[in-house]
Amino acid sequence: LLDPLDAVVYVYAPKRARLDPSAVAGLEELRRHAGDRIARVDFFDEDASLAAAVRRLPVDVLGRLLAVAGNWLGGLTVNSSVGAAPAKFAAKGELFNYVQHDRCLRFYHQHFVGRPVIYTRTDFQWLCPHPPLHTLSVERQVWIPDSGWDDYGGFYDNHAVLWGSGIEAFLGGWRQIFDGRAVRSLRSDLTWVNPETFLAMRLEVAGLFPPQRYVQCAFRTCTPDSSSTSATVGKWGRSLCDSGTGARFEYPWEWAASQATMACFSEGPGRWTRPLLQRCLDAPVPFPEDIGFSYAALAGAASAEEAPPAAGCVPRFNAEFAALAAVSGAAVLPVVGGVGDEGGGQVHPPRWSRLREQQYECRHLGHRYVHVRLRAAHSSEEQEVSGRGFGLCVPVECAGEDMGVIALRCAEAAGLSPGAASGEWVEVQDPPRTALPPPSDRAGKWARARLDGRQVANLSQHR
């Protein structure tokens, strides 16, 4: 990363990192690699900074901020409550990323005005050299890597190359939140805001929408430990570590995209050129599981308590409906409890996912993913062209007639079937395991990664 960019390094670290042995060791490793490139390591008391910022914030602005649904201000609610104890880092969330941004922006204004800024993470593993700045056009003031999947309705916010007004737009979230600009700029049609959609909004206001995209060369790493195989961590384990790849379960597409970029770069002349950058960006990203993302640690987390009960397919589907529905690629339906009469009376909000490229997104050992295809009665013509095919996550013991009952009733609840009582309306099959998504799926994935800013509200909830 540093050599191709000939970069000077500013490192932000929370004050408490001085007391964290793993953080201290990581900083020492960074110093060994970066040497005298490091201009400053900034240990900052972000707890005190947040407390002071909240005290200065007008009550009406704070109320408007807290009224916006989403995780874009993670940590603000707890840390701004009347009579609350001093801010605790355990209650923090995405809000504190903006503290990092602001400290970086301050250092830029003090020492490096007029020069480009590269915002990145110290836990990235780089599989190929970062493209030199001369291969990226300075006229496009914000360049963001594209994994094809990690935009969450806005734009990926873990790495960026910035020039000019793009520096203020990308790194100025903290200032916009606390000077009132953020609440004035939020569109009324946004029902959910996350950090990625907030970034998209800032770029749009600055006239820098959409940003330029380029290749993903790095992925977030992690260190497997005893918690990686603990059944108490949680069923889905999406923030655990894959011991085989060293990547986090939560970001498999970031890892897969960096692998694809590495393979593409290795076929080139050994250096980045603009044609090679475009060719590698256009290359489809393979399914993570097809190239070695095994979720082995999660599979090892199975315990006697997690063993599938003997109650049967449909009762277990109803009992685990909320968890099954929460998994990417599963159906989230406006049904009461489940698909039978014993669902329990809880109404789940409508959201129907037909994202076929998420075909392996059932991450729990006791679940499996299936494709459901709806057909007209006594007809061999598939109706997927009209959007009546979908993916479904079900208990692993489901098969045969029970599977058809679940699939058909889910389709009826979502309005994708005219309510036929016959299984002739539905075909359930295991997804094909192919090395790459079918061409139609690739086009859909890339199109969603470049959504117009006015369409981000619906996808932003899928994080």
Side-chain angles (χ1 to χ4, degrees), residues 51-73:
V54 171
R55 284 196 300 268
R56 293 192 301 267
L57 197 62
V59 175
D60 62 323
V61 175
L62 178 60
R64 292 174 64 187
L65 287 170
L66 297 178
V68 179
N71 65 349
W72 68 303
L73 299 177

Side-chain angles (χ1 to χ4, degrees), residues 144-374:
I144 295 176
D146 187 356
S147 74
W149 196 249
D150 293 299
D151 283 346
Y152 300 109
F155 293 107
Y156 181 78
D157 60 354
N158 291 288
H159 184 90
V161 178
L162 309 167
W163 281 277
S165 59
I167 297 171
E168 292 279 352
F170 190 97
L171 298 176
W174 175 267
R175 300 182 182 192
Q176 293 189 27
I177 290 168
F178 286 97
D179 67 12
R181 280 180 290 167
V183 290
R184 292 195 298 270
S185 301
L186 287 173
R187 297 194 314 273
S188 59
D189 62 324
L190 284 176
T191 57
W192 178 277
V193 180
N194 62 24
E196 291 81 7
T197 56
F198 181 40
L199 172 58
M201 182 205 76
R202 300 198 304 274
L203 297 180
E204 189 171 17
V205 169
L208 300 173
F209 186 95
Q212 187 69 32
R213 310 309 296 266
Y214 72 112
V215 293
Q216 182 92 39
C217 266
F219 66 95
R220 276 162 280 192
T221 56
C222 50
T223 302
D225 56 27
S226 59
S227 66
S228 296
T229 55
S230 170
T232 64
V233 172
K235 263 188 179 179
W236 306 104
R238 296 185 64 82
S239 291
L240 299 184
C241 190
D242 175 27
S243 58
T245 63
R248 290 172 59 181
F249 286 175
E250 191 172 0
Y251 306 107
W253 289 98
E254 183 184 71
W255 175 84
S258 63
Q259 295 287 334
T261 301
M262 177 181 66
C264 178
F265 178 80
S266 66
E267 296 174 355
R271 57 183 176 82
W272 284 115
T273 63
R274 289 185 179 182
L276 180 60
L277 275 173
Q278 190 61 50
R279 184 162 72 249
C280 293
L281 179 63
D282 292 340
V285 178
F287 289 125
E289 285 86 340
D290 285 336
I291 58 173
F293 211 86
S294 64
Y295 293 86
L298 182 60
S303 68
E305 292 125 22
E306 290 189 272
C313 167
V314 174
R316 187 175 175 214
F317 180 84
N318 287 335
E320 299 188 7
F321 182 84
L324 289 161
V327 180
S328 298
V332 183
L333 307 169
V335 299
V336 178
V339 299
D341 297 331
E342 67 280 12
Q346 184 178 2
V347 178
H348 298 273
R351 190 175 78 220
W352 185 262
S353 173
R354 306 184 193 94
L355 307 184
R356 291 290 296 277
E357 59 267 37
Q358 293 187 357
Q359 61 175 309
Y360 306 131
E361 287 284 319
C362 287
R363 303 307 192 195
H364 186 244
L365 189 66
H367 301 151
R368 61 183 291 216
Y369 184 86
V370 294
H371 285 172
V372 177
R373 298 185 178 187
L374 302 180

